[in-house]
Every structure is written in structure tokens, then in C-alpha cells.
Amino acid sequence: MKVVDSFPRTVREIENTWITMPDGCRLAARIWLPEDAEEHPVPAILECMPYRKRDFTRLRDEPLHHYLAGHGYASIRLDLRGSGDSDGLILDEYLQQEQDDCLAVLDWITSQPWCSGPVGMFGISWGGFNALQVAAHQPECLKAIITMCSTDDRYADDAHYMGGCLLNENLNWGSVFFATAAFPPDPALYGDDWREQWRYRLENQVLYPAVWMRHQQRDDYWKHGSVCENFDDIQCAVYAVGGWADGYPNAIPRMMEGLSAPRKALIGPWSHAFPHNALPGPAIGFFQEMLRWWDYWLKDIDNGIMDEPPMRVWMEEHVPPAPLYEYRPGRWVAEPTWPSERIHNETLYLNVLSMGRKAEPEDRMRITSPETTGLAGGDWYGFGGEGEMAIDQREDDGKSLVFDADTVSERIEILGAPVAELEVTVDRPVAYVIVRLNDVAPDGASTRVTWGVLNLTQRESREHPEPLEAGKRYRVRVQMKDVAYAFAPGHTMRLAVSTSYWPMIWPAPEPVRLTLHTGVSSLQLPVRPPREEDEQLRPFEPPERGPQSEPEALSSGDFRRTVERNLINNETTYRIYNEGGDFGGASLAYIEDIDLTAGYSLGKWFRTHEYDASGAEARIDQNCILQRDDWSARVACVTRLTADPQHFRLRATLHAYDGDALFFEREWDEWIPRHLI
């Protein structure tokens, strides 16, 4: 990747600035400015996150914000209230207080002598969420946003629930957030009161996964911050960016359909990362693409970006299943409108062991999937690391009902969300159905194309679930993740249906026997005909970035993913161990610019019985350290989730050390009733 170190504007960096909120709380910001911005003011761009600008995201922030500043913008990276070096507490994600703080920061920015008035917001994941949420308040100065890997619907499409089922990502992500929030501000910036602020945070520490597990349906808690509640609240321009390998691709087509403001979409093959260095590739010159967007909306430079097709995506080709792809073959395609009138649904009927364009006489097929179904599914979202992608699906296919179509004779391309329309009967009041659309190669290898899940108690409503009646027949709609994919001649489309998907989702309270009625169930495919204009799309520039400090690796990171089957007790344990963190793959690294040594390790365990989910367990272990000279702060925490048919049980321990001395400790043991989940 090209590293740019010479820019049109010389850059001045401000390591830390305090921005005082109306209630007196100080928020910490790191700012990059053109050196002459006070004499020649510039538009500003704001990014707000809780991930510690001083250390944990330092290496990510520098090349991006320096790049933007070098091209004539004031670029601000803010630690949210209660995180990093900021005062206060962070009691949850996306609170009204967070939005109010962001609005106050926008006011502060526009009052600075270096700001010419127009402001943009951007962010990936958390920062993408709050860019949308702040835009819904319609601050006058906010002209445009870039939202990456985020969602408009906090219940249906975030890391907590999917299809009304509890994702294990709720515990995983919540545990990482739990550890991040437990760290102190940096004494070199915060001053002598850093211990008091640290203790204040620890004494008010929130077990975030428990908060989210108390809201198991789409109630007012989730509606807050879900901009899909009223898309018309957003009036500024929106550029929505994501990747097919991420957990959030569905939100982008939905926002393109729902928003009335100027909008643009870009979906690559990428994981949960910036497109200039994301895996799978191809990576693109995304920093240049960002500049085109900001130049148009903040500097009134007509560079043609809004004359291009608004919906641009990477049409993926088949690849053999693998735990990591450096590159996904394919090509860029675009649609001039969305939803596209060019795309039409084609129906394939699910017959006994087959799919076809003609429905055969009605019959029945039954399945009770082993609880280990899903071990080939990879992560809910990945960051471009080894072992994250779905591997060969044949093991999971063997634990599912499978329906194979005839061999593809002519190339078929799909763009959108495939939907399974199923008629089912179950024998339990709570049941899940999981569908996977796979591409079976001539050699038999099965590659997952897309997938979806549904808690059948939410078949009619996410807000008001209803228990199922044993033996009653239901017609349900299972929407899979949006995707752009080409099925090649000689390959076979396969739909696989199961009742469990571990460790992606937490198991249903009891094993379920599902009867699927064939001949009346079907698969709807969003087929996209070729478009000649795709060959004339403006090519993206090669990736480039600004300069950054390079950490010194003090010890190399270890990374392992293993699956262990105990044939004596029929239990399977899926383990992930990662020492890499955010420090260039090192388990312990030295950052010379701030004279700081930082380290992080993460262990995950997911254990279940082949046929009895009552013993299922998920556990997350984390150890983090920051140290400088005679100062060090270390946090060790463990979170553990188990369940019985009536309750979830969430336990956690937190130990914080000031040097070698125990500074704080606490334990949690919470029982959370299950409500049709």
C-alpha cells in the first residue's frame, strides 16, 4: 500500500484537547489540522468512538485522520463520555447522552477559528451507528456522513439478536466492551486525578451483555437509536459502506430504499474493516473515495461522485471454501436505482431432497439437528483474521435437510436477499429454523453463499412473539442476508435447513423436531440480469494512506482456533485464542510516540453436547495491560454464559491492578428469565 507523506496542506497534530459539555463533563479529542487552518479555515470531520484514541485505536487513527487533514480538513477523533481519556461514565451503547454530547461537540467545532462551518461525520461500527443517530437530529452544520459496517435497526441487525435468536456475539462483543470500559485514562494526559476517575468507572461498571439480554424482543429500548423508525429524520447526505463478509450488509439496501436524503452505497467483499486494507480483497483507494465525498458535500466541488450509480457492489464468483480469503474473485456492478426494477424473483420449490421450478405433490421431511450443527459457519462477522470464514459446509449439510437444484446450465447472478418460504410443524413452543444457500461445486465441496435464521415465535412480530402449538402448521418467511453472487455452469444450488446453529446462536430451550412440508415450501431468488454499463464504471484508485507510528513488537502474538470432540461424553468444544490485539499482531508492543507498552490477549470457549443443549456454555477470558516507566494498569476479566430452559445465567469477574497491587475486584452472577427465546 502506498504511504503518502507529502500533502497539499502541512498537518499540525494536537495530541489531546478537552471539550467541555454543558454539564461540565470533559471529553477528550485528538485533532489533526492544516497548519494554517486558523488563517484559512477548513471544513471539519468528526469521528466518535469509545475505543481509546490514545492507545487502542492509535495506529488505526493516525494514517486516516492525518490523510484527511493533509487534504484540507480539520479531522477530530473523540473519546466518548466515560471512555479513554474522557470524564464521566459509559453506561451503555447509543444512549441519548451520547447523542447529546455529539451535538454539543459539533457546536464546539463550528465555534473554532479553524472551522469554516460545514461538518461531516464518519465512523465504522460504533462510529457508523452514531453518525446515523446524530444525523437524525438534523444539526444545521452536519452536511454529510459516511456510515460503515453499521445498521439502521438495532434489534434486527446488530451483534445481539438475529432473526429473534440470541447471538453468541452478544457475549463476545459485550465482553470486549466490558474490558475496554474498565481501563483508566492515561495519567500523562489526565493528570493526578486519574486513579479517582478509574475507581469511579470501576465502581459503576456495567455488565453490558446482561443489559441487552433483558431486552429479548424489539421493544422501545431497541427502537431508540434505530433510524429505520423514521428515515425522514435524516436530511443530510449519507454514504453507506460495508462488506459481504461483515455482519451488517443487510442495512445498506434497506437504507437505500428507506432514506429520502441524497444517498450512495458501496458493498465490497470485505469484512468488518476499512476498504483500503480489508480482507477479503480487493482493497480499494477508500481514503480517496472519502475525499471525493467530502469535497462534494463540504467544499461544493462538483467531482461527479453523485452522477455515478448510487448502488455499487462486488459480484462474487465461486471460490473453494476456506477459513480465510485474501481475495474474492468477482467484478464491480451497479444499479441506477434501488430497489432495482431490473431484479426479479425466481421461485424454486422444495420437493423431497430436491429443488425445482415445478412443485411436486406435497410430502413431509423431518429433522432434529444435532446441537453442533454450525461448527462450519465461521464468525458472525470477521475482521480479516484466519479462521473467520465459513468452511466446507458438507458437515453442517449432513446435519440438515438439504434440497439440491438441477445443475446450473447457464450462469445465474443474484443481488439482494434470498427468502425461504417454508411450511413447518414443530413439537415445542420455542423453535428456531436456520436456512443456508450453498454453492456445491462439481467436486462436491459446499460453499456457503448466504444464510438466515428465524425464531419461529417471532414469525408474525419482533415485538410481540407468540409460543408455537405442537402439531400446528405454520407458513413462515426466512429472509437470508443480502448478497451479490454468481452461480457458474456445472455447479448446484443447495438449500440446507436446520434447527440449530452453534456457536453462532444460543440453542433453543429444548431440542426441536421440525417437520417441513415439501411441494408447498419454496426459495425465492433475486435474479439480476447482466448490465452492459457495468463495464464503464469508474475504477477505484489503488489503496493509499497517511503516515503512522510503527509499534515495536516486544513479543509475538499467538493465534489458534481448534475444535475438540470428546467421544466419551459427546461434548464438543470450540476454542479461539488470540494475543494479537490492535498492536500490529504483537501480544505486547511498545509505542514510542507516547512511551507506552500495551498488551492484550483474548480466549473464547464454546462448549455443547451433541444432542442436549442444557449444558451449553460460552466463556470469554481477557487480559489487558498498559504500562509506562513505573506506572502500569492491568485488567483481567472473565464472562461466562450458561442456561436452563427457563433462565440464562451470566457470570463475570473483574480484577484491576495498579502496578502489582489489586486495585479493584467485583463479581456478577445474574439470572435472566428467557422470554420465548
Side-chain angles (χ1 to χ4, degrees):
M1 182 186 301
K2 179 181 178 182
V3 178
V4 180
D5 53 15
S6 178
F7 294 93
R9 306 281 286 268
T10 303
V11 176
R12 175 169 67 98
E13 179 189 332
I14 303 170
E15 176 68 25
N16 189 72
T17 294
W18 300 111
I19 305 174
T20 303
M21 297 293 98
D23 64 356
C25 180
R26 299 178 310 162
L27 303 188
R30 191 178 179 195
I31 303 175
W32 291 257
L33 291 167
E35 195 171 57
D36 61 348
E38 291 195 3
E39 293 77 31
H40 304 283
V42 294
I45 303 170
L46 174 64
E47 181 183 26
C48 307
M49 293 193 302
Y51 302 138
R52 302 184 59 87
K53 64 174 178 59
R54 176 71 164 166
D55 37 59
F56 287 174
T57 67
R58 186 179 191 87
L59 304 181
R60 190 223 68 161
D61 296 342
E62 288 176 345
L64 170 57
H65 289 275
H66 190 119
Y67 189 94
L68 294 172
H71 286 90
Y73 293 92
S75 199
I76 301 100
R77 165 69 170 87
L78 183 82
D79 274 344
L80 293 173
R81 180 184 293 245
S83 70
D85 298 310
S86 292
D87 290 344
L89 298 172
I90 187 162
L91 300 176
D92 200 353
E93 53 182 9
Y94 318 127
L95 293 174
Q96 184 62 47
Q97 180 67 66
E98 176 184 331
Q99 297 169 31
D100 293 343
D101 285 348
C102 290
L103 292 168
V105 170
L106 290 176
D107 287 341
W108 179 87
I109 290 171
T110 57
S111 71
Q112 300 307 299
W114 38 257
C115 180
S116 61
V119 183
M121 285 186 70
F122 79 93
I124 185 170
S125 199
W126 192 306
F129 276 73
N130 61 33
L132 287 166
Q133 293 160 1
V134 172
H137 288 276
Q138 301 179 20
E140 184 178 353
C141 66
L142 188 62
K143 306 302 181 183
I145 66 171
I146 299 176
T147 178
M148 293 175 278
C149 303
S150 69
T151 187
D152 60 322
D153 191 327
R154 292 183 55 214
Y155 179 77
D157 256 336
D158 197 5
H160 312 296
Y161 298 92
M162 180 176 177
C165 303
L166 177 65
L167 288 164
N168 267 324
E169 191 59 34
N170 182 80
L171 179 71
N172 179 33
W173 146 238
S175 299
V176 172
F177 183 26
F178 179 69
T180 302
F183 256 85
D186 190 323
L189 297 181
Y190 201 85
D192 294 339
D193 294 338
W194 72 272
R195 281 190 180 87
E196 287 73 14
Q197 172 65 10
W198 191 17
R199 186 171 295 279
Y200 179 52
R201 289 181 183 178
L202 292 169
E203 288 176 346
N204 293 277
Q205 178 78 351
V206 175
L207 186 57
Y208 303 107
V211 173
W212 306 325
M213 290 170 63
R214 293 191 189 99
H215 299 274
Q216 296 168 21
Q217 286 81 43
R218 195 176 188 277
D219 57 13
D220 288 341
Y221 174 86
W222 298 112
K223 292 176 185 179
H224 169 76
S226 292
V227 298
C228 63
E229 290 295 300
N230 187 4
F231 280 121
D232 288 340
D233 285 342
I234 296 179
Q235 295 298 309
C236 71
V238 177
Y239 200 166
V241 181
W244 298 131
D246 184 37
Y248 297 101
N250 308 326
I252 298 176
R254 206 164 46 232
M255 286 191 287
M256 289 298 290
E257 180 176 1
L259 289 168
S260 57
R263 57 204 181 276
K264 190 174 177 66
L266 175 64
I267 309 176
W270 313 303
S271 55
H272 199 72
F274 278 79
H276 72 291
N277 63 356
L279 295 178
I284 66 169
F286 187 65
F287 287 10
Q288 300 97 304
E289 184 72 3
M290 293 180 76
L291 281 177
R292 294 179 69 224
W293 180 257
W294 300 130
D295 285 349
Y296 184 92
W297 289 106
L298 304 185
K299 293 183 177 179
D300 295 323
I301 298 174
D302 190 358
N303 51 26
I305 191 168
M306 295 307 292
D307 297 328
E308 299 165 4
M311 185 77 166
R312 183 165 176 173
V313 305
W314 186 254
M315 179 65 69
E316 295 183 332
E317 304 280 348
H318 171 266
V319 287
L324 173 67
Y325 299 114
E326 297 284 342
Y327 180 89
R328 280 300 299 254
R331 74 187 197 284
W332 290 109
V333 302
E335 291 295 329
T337 60
W338 193 265
S340 173
E341 296 179 354
R342 303 175 60 256
I343 296 173
H344 62 279
N345 279 332
E346 291 194 5
T347 300
L348 295 176
Y349 292 95
L350 307 188
N351 299 313
V352 175
L353 300 177
S354 68
M355 279 195 301
R357 299 185 185 280
K358 182 179 179 181
E360 296 179 359
E362 185 176 337
D363 209 327
R364 292 174 294 177
M365 299 180 68
R366 298 180 178 88
I367 185 73
T368 299
S369 298
E371 299 296 340
T372 54
T373 309
L375 286 170
D379 290 356
W380 179 75
Y381 64 171
F383 294 85
E386 296 179 0
E388 292 175 346
M389 306 297 288
I391 58 175
D392 196 322
Q393 297 292 287
R394 280 180 282 192
E395 178 179 348
D396 287 344
D397 291 351
K399 300 174 181 180
S400 310
L401 298 177
V402 293
F403 303 89
D404 286 0
D406 292 337
T407 301
V408 174
S409 57
E410 295 183 2
R411 179 184 176 91
I412 300 174
E413 295 185 356
I414 61 173
L415 172 55
V419 174
E421 296 271 2
L422 307 178
E423 292 206 12
V424 297
T425 304
V426 295
D427 64 345
R428 293 290 183 268
V430 179
Y432 305 156
V433 61
I434 298 91
V435 295
R436 292 174 290 116
L437 177 61
N438 298 337
D439 181 350
V440 182
D443 65 358
S446 182
T447 300
R448 194 184 69 192
V449 175
T450 184
W451 62 289
V453 306
L454 177 63
N455 179 342
L456 295 178
T457 69
Q458 295 189 14
R459 61 197 177 276
E460 300 292 341
S461 170
R462 300 283 186 217
E463 299 178 47
H464 307 291
E466 296 179 350
L468 300 152
E469 296 181 27
K472 182 176 178 179
R473 187 159 161 171
Y474 298 97
R475 186 165 186 86
V476 299
R477 184 177 188 272
V478 188
Q479 181 169 318
M480 288 172 257
K481 286 178 172 286
D482 286 79
V483 71
Y485 190 85
F487 290 92
H491 288 233
T492 300
M493 294 183 193
R494 170 176 293 168
L495 189 74
V497 180
S498 63
T499 56
S500 58
Y501 208 51
W502 177 265
M504 196 80 73
I505 64 173
W506 194 264
E510 300 174 284
V512 172
R513 182 176 175 85
L514 180 142
T515 300
L516 189 146
H517 299 267
T518 63
V520 291
S521 298
S522 65
L523 169 66
Q524 308 292 323
L525 286 175
V527 175
R528 177 189 188 267
R531 180 175 177 269
E532 292 182 3
E533 293 88 343
D534 291 340
E535 301 298 323
Q536 283 77 50
L537 290 174
R538 180 186 185 274
F540 292 109
E541 298 176 57
E544 63 182 35
R545 63 168 176 83
Q548 71 177 52
S549 56
E550 296 295 338
E552 177 188 352
L554 302 179
S555 63
S556 59
D558 186 21
F559 183 72
R560 299 189 299 270
R561 285 178 184 259
T562 62
V563 175
E564 176 185 288
R565 286 189 170 129
N566 187 329
L567 299 181
I568 296 175
N569 62 14
N570 228 0
E571 287 185 347
T572 297
T573 303
Y574 178 27
R575 290 187 174 91
I576 303 171
Y577 185 68
N578 182 11
E579 290 183 326
D582 296 303
F583 310 110
S587 60
L588 195 67
Y590 176 67
I591 305 172
E592 184 177 8
D593 288 358
I594 52 175
D595 187 27
L596 184 74
T597 298
Y600 178 72
S601 66
L602 169 69
K604 307 177 190 178
W605 289 261
F606 302 98
R607 178 176 58 84
T608 192
H609 189 277
E610 189 78 4
Y611 304 110
D612 180 7
S614 63
E617 177 184 5
R619 173 174 166 159
I620 313 295
D621 288 14
Q622 297 177 89
N623 281 279
C624 329
I625 187 168
L626 298 173
Q627 57 189 29
R628 176 189 298 114
D629 298 328
D630 59 352
W631 168 73
S632 72
R634 182 166 67 88
V635 170
C637 53
V638 177
T639 50
R640 181 185 175 203
L641 178 63
T642 55
D644 61 31
Q646 290 78 39
H647 295 86
F648 293 108
R649 186 182 186 187
L650 183 60
R651 285 169 279 183
T653 60
L654 171 64
H655 294 84
Y657 297 86
D658 181 2
D660 294 329
L662 181 65
F663 182 74
F664 181 87
E665 64 177 334
R666 184 177 171 187
E667 294 185 2
W668 289 259
D669 189 353
E670 302 198 18
W671 293 80
I672 302 170
R674 300 177 71 156
H675 299 291
L676 299 180
I677 194 168

